[in-house]
Amino acid sequence: MRILKIILSFLGIVLALALISALFVKKEYEVEKEIIINKPKEEVFEYLKFLKNQDNFSKWASLDPNMKKSYSGTDGTVGFVSRWESENQDVGHGEQEIKKIIPGERIEYELRFIKPFQATEPAFLSTESLGENQTKVIWGFKGHMDYPFNLWLIFMDFEKMIGDDLQTGLLKLKTLLEKP
């Protein structure tokens, strides 16, 4: 009985320390990756503004070729929504909506994850001309984890995990758009 009390006390102390630590851990993370594409900005932006085109370069879209997709609205305009459903836990269920378009510059999205977890997070794609035939594309994502789940940010490098996936997508986008 005494050993059980010691074990439970130890576990209680560890749990209390974890919960106290979580009070001081950041709750937000932000990831941005960029690539230079050898095409004019107008051409790159025109491709990026259509949300359905993300299926051609997004790493997440390639994880489950059998995922169910549905759409509402007019692609390339504010309010267009792309929904997905997958049994693959790395893909899950959710939707993405175009929230704002700054013509030739930036597309802002709202990602709404439904399964295996629920979250609503902003993301964007932006373009910047570096010359007549060179465009810098930046893909960004912001995330938030509520207390006490923000403690995971200490143990898991979400910025690297998401950043690697964004970079993979950008490399695929570059290959796709630079094809002769």
Side-chain angles (χ1 to χ4, degrees):
M1 198 62 153
R2 180 171 149 73
I3 292 176
L4 182 60
K5 284 183 181 180
I6 291 171
I7 291 171
L8 289 175
S9 295
F10 176 76
L11 291 175
I13 290 169
V14 168
L15 180 60
L17 286 173
L19 292 173
I20 290 169
S21 297
L23 290 170
F24 302 99
V25 173
K26 67 182 181 174
K27 293 182 177 104
E28 312 285 331
Y29 59 94
E30 192 171 334
V31 184
E32 286 186 10
K33 292 296 178 180
E34 62 184 58
I35 198 159
I36 295 171
I37 297 176
N38 295 313
K39 287 289 183 179
K41 181 175 122 173
E42 296 75 25
E43 185 178 329
V44 173
F45 187 85
E46 187 62 25
Y47 185 83
L48 291 176
K49 81 174 185 180
F50 293 99
L51 190 49
K52 287 181 184 178
N53 284 341
Q54 281 189 17
D55 290 345
N56 300 326
F57 63 89
S58 167
K59 179 179 178 184
W60 300 290
S62 67
L63 290 175
D64 182 1
N66 298 315
M67 86 171 83
K68 295 176 191 165
K69 300 281 290 194
S70 63
Y71 308 97
S72 63
T74 303
D75 198 1
T77 65
V78 172
F80 179 76
V81 177
S82 170
R83 292 176 185 81
W84 71 90
E85 257 185 71
S86 172
E87 295 308 314
N88 181 330
Q89 290 297 308
D90 292 332
V91 179
H93 298 189
E95 60 186 23
Q96 182 172 214
E97 179 179 352
I98 299 174
K99 296 301 274 184
K100 183 177 183 180
I101 297 176
I102 302 169
E105 303 292 328
R106 185 177 170 104
I107 306 113
E108 295 180 4
Y109 308 97
E110 182 175 85
L111 287 159
R112 296 182 287 262
F113 301 101
I114 298 166
K115 186 179 173 186
F117 60 90
Q118 290 189 347
T120 299
E121 310 292 359
F124 73 90
L125 278 162
S126 69
T127 57
E128 176 186 333
S129 180
L130 299 178
E132 192 174 307
N133 286 310
Q134 258 193 348
T135 304
K136 178 168 43 170
V137 175
I138 302 172
W139 199 355
F141 178 86
K142 289 184 182 182
H144 174 87
M145 295 190 81
D146 290 326
Y147 172 86
F149 303 105
N150 62 318
L151 200 56
W152 285 110
L153 292 173
I154 292 174
F155 303 107
M156 297 178 74
D157 190 351
F158 283 93
E159 293 167 2
K160 176 166 177 26
M161 289 178 355
I162 293 168
D164 287 351
D165 290 348
L166 293 177
Q167 197 66 50
T168 297
L170 288 172
L171 288 167
K172 195 169 181 181
L173 175 67
K174 179 179 176 69
T175 301
L176 185 72
L177 291 181
E178 289 183 357
K179 274 187 183 174

